[in-house]
Amino acid sequence: MNELSSSNSPVTFDPIWQRDDFFHRSAQIALQLQQDNIRSVALCCEDAAYFACALLGCFTAKVRVLLPPNLLAENRLWIERNADLFIDDRLFEQLGLTQKQVKNRPHFDVYSEMHNQTEIWLKTSGSSGEAKIIVKTAEQMWLEAQQLAAVLPFKTEQRIHIVGSVSVQHLYGLTFRIMLPLFNGWTIGRKQQLYPEYLIAESRRHSQSLWISSPALLTRLNLANPDLLSCPIVGMISSGGALAEKVAENISNGLKCPLVEIYGSSETGAIAFRQSTKLWQTLPDMRIGSDERGALWVESKRITGREQTADAVEIHQQGFVLLGRIDRIVKLGDKRVSLVKIEQDLQQHQWIKDCYVAQHPDLQRVVAWLALSEEGIEMLREKGRKTLIEQLRQSLQQTQEKFALPRFWRFTDELPRNSQSKISRSDFEQICRQQLTDPLWFEQHKEENSLRLSGKIPLDLIYFKGHFADFPLVPGVVELQWVMDQIPHLLGRDIVVERIDNLKFQQFLRPNDRLDLSLQWDAMKNRVAFQLKSNDKMCGSGLIISKIEHNEST
């Protein structure tokens, strides 16, 4: 265990902030809070070093800390009702500066903080989606950092710089971007880096960086990027969801560094970890078991009483296996089926980049929503939807009984996972019920007499079924309908079509093709000229002649 102020080494960089100055500043804040009789503080700093300094000041002053997940209206109201003071980056830069008589504290010893009962309130969403307040203490957070330091494959004396893509306003970010580096004497990355290129850029400025990230970001890593391959990364930590086994393996092998997954929740904190294995290993202070449903329960000094989870589990002597949430164990016929196991089996296939499996919202059958890899997209383009599904079913039959195979299949190139790597129920229900009939438009530019749109052909376009199942392409009549649908957006009104001149279809439009559509209105000739292009090649063009409408006189 490190004495955090044992040397005048940096706490952070850009600019450098030495430890003596950092802890002196924390003491100033503590005195200011005590002088102003502050009992509760809402803390929301973008700068993680500011956050850490203010947090320690609150611990010293025994001031309750509220951590809003964001500053939306409902959270502002929560702050207003429960906090005496709101500390953001701007206030931090002024808070406590008038406190000149701060006693020297040559050592900030974590031992002295291990029994601090100052409360931290984390506002999160419960399983029902309703707001939930989870209360932790400073003691519990220091204990968690201590437990993690004991099991992670990184030496505490290493000069490691923490680089994170996750927010410190949530327990995962608080634990790994704030408490763990403070406990180990590592340096804190100031900013939340939301994209791989930002993580890479910060890592390249330090001799040893440890990434704190999520499956959503790590799944998108380009392991062929030379900037990433030359990064001085000592390891990666992932939490917030299960990382696909092949993704974890590719990262570990490609970057030659440990990748550690953490399993836990806001209620329990970190429960277990794993590295290059399917079995989860509990942290040293955790006791685990399962209830009559097979759902995991945990006990430790970091939790008040026993915490019952909704995660189905198989406990073995060497560790445990997570089967998914209890609500993801479904009964088909008379047999229980793990939807997570189906996902894991599908993710072993080279055509699958990501997947989510659940029951249809209206029909008691399983739906597989798949993000195809480049190989999978090519398979769909060349052989069609029917052949793709048949081969995926054959692959699944090696590990799943026939009754458990998905009945419905949906394809995309990217699943809409949030920052915690979760799929929302509303997104899933929408994809189950909707029939995709239009391109996925993502860019539009309108001028007085012209309209330009850019988009992509969905992998699940309804017209790829049936007649075009073996060689999916967009029928010309559908392309023409897409043009007609945009005319009201161009003109602000509908037109009555008299005829279409010079109609040409030069090239097929296929799944995942990029699409550029341009329309030009010629008022003198009463017509709309259109062009459909894919990858700068002309796919379709024509002139839509509008019928001239005469006003009737009475």
Side-chain angles (χ1 to χ4, degrees):
M1 184 178 296
N2 290 345
E3 290 188 349
L4 299 182
S5 57
S6 60
S7 67
N8 201 28
S9 57
V11 167
T12 190
F13 301 94
D14 303 318
I16 290 177
W17 198 355
Q18 302 291 356
R19 293 189 182 277
D20 287 349
D21 295 333
F22 176 86
F23 291 114
H24 182 271
R25 187 81 178 82
S26 175
Q28 285 183 308
I29 291 171
L31 282 177
Q32 188 70 59
L33 295 175
Q34 291 171 332
Q35 177 181 296
D36 295 343
N37 199 30
I38 300 297
R39 294 287 178 264
S40 182
V41 159
L43 183 56
C44 190
C45 292
E46 292 185 9
D47 187 317
Y50 285 4
F51 181 102
C53 186
L55 182 69
L56 291 182
C58 291
F59 287 174
T60 301
K62 305 298 188 290
V63 171
R64 184 177 64 208
V65 179
L66 276 61
L67 297 185
N70 53 56
L71 294 180
L72 296 177
E74 65 171 299
N75 295 321
R76 290 183 181 274
L77 181 61
W78 180 62
I79 291 169
E80 183 180 333
R81 289 175 175 173
N82 294 282
D84 301 324
L85 183 68
F86 174 62
I87 301 179
D88 59 6
D89 295 74
R90 179 178 294 183
L91 180 62
F92 175 88
E93 291 175 353
Q94 302 298 321
L95 187 65
L97 290 181
T98 59
Q99 300 293 331
K100 303 298 183 182
Q101 303 302 318
V102 176
K103 294 181 180 180
N104 291 329
R105 298 179 61 187
H107 297 288
F108 187 92
D109 183 3
V110 179
Y111 281 110
S112 66
E113 289 292 311
M114 292 301 283
H115 302 294
N116 191 325
Q117 296 302 308
T118 302
E119 290 185 348
I120 305 168
W121 289 12
L122 295 119
K123 188 169 186 283
T124 184
S125 295
S127 58
S128 64
E130 296 180 0
K132 187 175 183 180
I133 308 302
I134 295 169
V135 179
K136 299 287 183 180
T137 65
E139 177 185 36
Q140 290 171 332
M141 297 307 302
W142 287 122
L143 284 171
E144 182 147 329
Q146 180 186 44
Q147 293 296 309
L148 289 165
V151 300
L152 292 175
F154 313 108
K155 296 179 180 179
T156 57
E157 62 269 20
Q158 285 181 280
R159 299 178 65 86
I160 289 176
H161 181 68
I162 297 294
V163 185
S165 66
V166 295
S167 170
V168 298
Q169 302 297 132
H170 301 282
L171 187 65
Y172 175 38
L174 172 64
T175 299
F176 284 89
R177 290 187 59 202
I178 303 296
M179 304 304 297
L180 185 63
L182 285 177
F183 186 87
N184 283 338
W186 296 341
T187 54
I188 296 171
R190 290 179 180 266
K191 299 299 181 184
Q192 178 185 4
Q193 307 293 8
L194 295 174
Y195 303 103
E197 55 268 31
Y198 296 168
L199 288 161
I200 293 169
E202 181 171 352
S203 299
R204 289 173 68 85
R205 295 198 296 269
H206 302 277
S207 60
Q208 297 185 105
S209 292
L210 175 61
W211 283 21
I212 312 299
S213 195
S214 66
L217 183 141
L218 296 179
T219 300
R220 300 195 304 268
L221 278 183
N222 175 12
L223 295 177
N225 182 349
D227 290 336
L228 175 61
L229 293 173
S230 62
C231 253
I233 302 172
V234 297
M236 294 182 175
I237 294 175
S238 175
S239 189
L243 189 64
E245 185 178 336
K246 61 183 178 182
V247 173
E249 182 180 343
N250 289 341
I251 290 174
S252 297
N253 293 338
L255 300 181
K256 308 298 182 186
C257 69
L259 190 153
V260 182
E261 291 184 81
I262 302 294
Y263 164 61
S265 68
S266 297
E267 292 84 354
T268 63
I271 295 172
F273 67 99
R274 68 178 181 181
Q275 181 185 342
S276 304
T277 177
K278 292 183 179 181
L279 290 176
W280 291 93
Q281 310 297 314
T282 55
L283 294 184
D285 67 336
M286 277 285 173
R287 286 187 63 248
I288 66 170
S290 59
D291 67 6
E292 65 280 359
R293 304 170 300 163
L296 179 72
W297 57 255
V298 297
E299 295 175 343
S300 85
K301 293 180 180 179
R302 294 180 280 122
I303 306 170
T304 303
R306 174 176 292 185
E307 185 69 35
Q308 179 66 58
T309 78
D311 294 326
V313 66
E314 286 182 357
I315 299 176
H316 305 276
Q317 188 173 357
Q318 297 80 17
F320 65 90
V321 177
L322 287 171
L323 304 176
R325 293 181 63 84
I326 286 294
D327 58 10
R328 304 213 65 215
I329 306 292
V330 299
K331 203 166 187 180
L332 299 177
D334 294 324
K335 297 185 179 180
R336 284 159 50 94
V337 174
S338 169
L339 300 177
V340 172
K341 180 63 167 61
I342 299 175
E343 289 176 353
Q344 292 171 346
D345 293 343
L346 282 169
Q347 285 177 329
Q348 298 301 312
H349 203 289
Q350 62 181 355
W351 296 340
I352 308 303
K353 181 170 63 175
D354 192 9
C355 70
Y356 179 76
V357 176
Q359 278 191 296
H360 194 285
D362 305 317
L363 307 167
Q364 297 303 307
R365 302 300 294 270
V366 174
V367 181
W369 190 9
L370 309 179
L372 299 182
S373 65
E374 291 183 6
E375 296 93 333
I377 292 174
E378 189 62 25
M379 176 66 184
L380 175 66
R381 286 169 60 92
E382 296 305 314
K383 299 295 184 180
R385 177 187 178 89
K386 182 179 179 181
T387 300
L388 176 65
I389 292 173
E390 286 177 351
Q391 296 201 26
L392 288 174
R393 283 173 60 88
Q394 289 177 13
S395 176
L396 269 183
Q397 284 178 337
Q398 299 176 27
T399 55
Q400 298 285 340
E401 294 187 66
K402 190 173 182 180
F403 70 87
L405 301 182
R407 174 64 178 82
F408 303 105
W409 302 77
R410 297 292 182 268
F411 299 112
T412 183
D413 62 335
E414 198 80 40
L415 291 183
R417 294 189 180 274
N418 62 20
S419 59
Q420 281 77 48
S421 197
K422 302 295 193 298
I423 299 289
S424 76
R425 184 66 187 178
S426 60
D427 283 343
F428 176 72
E429 291 182 358
Q430 180 181 4
I431 203 66
C432 287
R433 291 170 174 150
Q434 74 178 164
Q435 298 286 353
L436 292 177
T437 59
D438 298 306
L440 302 173
W441 300 115
F442 48 75
E443 187 177 330
Q444 177 177 312
H445 181 72
K446 187 179 184 305
E447 296 181 357
E448 184 176 358
N449 292 313
S450 67
L451 177 66
R452 297 195 303 276
L453 300 100
S454 295
K456 185 167 57 176
I457 306 299
L459 300 184
D460 247 0
L461 193 71
I462 189 172
Y463 307 112
F464 295 151
K465 300 179 182 179
H467 181 67
F468 298 102
D470 297 330
F471 187 78
L473 57 87
V474 181
V477 66
V478 173
E479 295 180 32
L480 186 58
Q481 184 60 53
W482 291 346
V483 176
M484 300 297 297
D485 290 343
Q486 296 302 323
I487 290 177
H489 299 291
L490 169 66
L491 301 178
R493 59 182 174 85
D494 291 321
I495 64 171
V496 177
V497 177
E498 182 175 281
R499 67 182 188 275
I500 300 176
D501 291 345
N502 299 334
L503 181 61
K504 297 178 183 178
F505 295 106
Q506 294 103 315
Q507 182 170 304
F508 294 145
L509 277 173
R510 317 233 16 245
N512 213 48
D513 278 349
R514 182 182 172 97
L515 175 66
D516 295 298
L517 170 61
S518 62
L519 298 92
Q520 183 75 40
W521 170 247
D522 186 334
M524 296 294 293
K525 297 181 178 179
N526 214 42
R527 70 185 188 186
V528 175
F530 74 88
Q531 290 185 339
L532 275 166
K533 292 184 177 181
S534 179
N535 300 320
D536 295 324
K537 294 181 179 180
M538 189 69 70
C539 296
S541 61
L543 300 171
I544 300 173
I545 314 300
S546 173
K547 185 175 181 180
I548 299 176
E549 299 180 4
H550 299 282
N551 293 327
E552 295 183 1
S553 58
T554 57

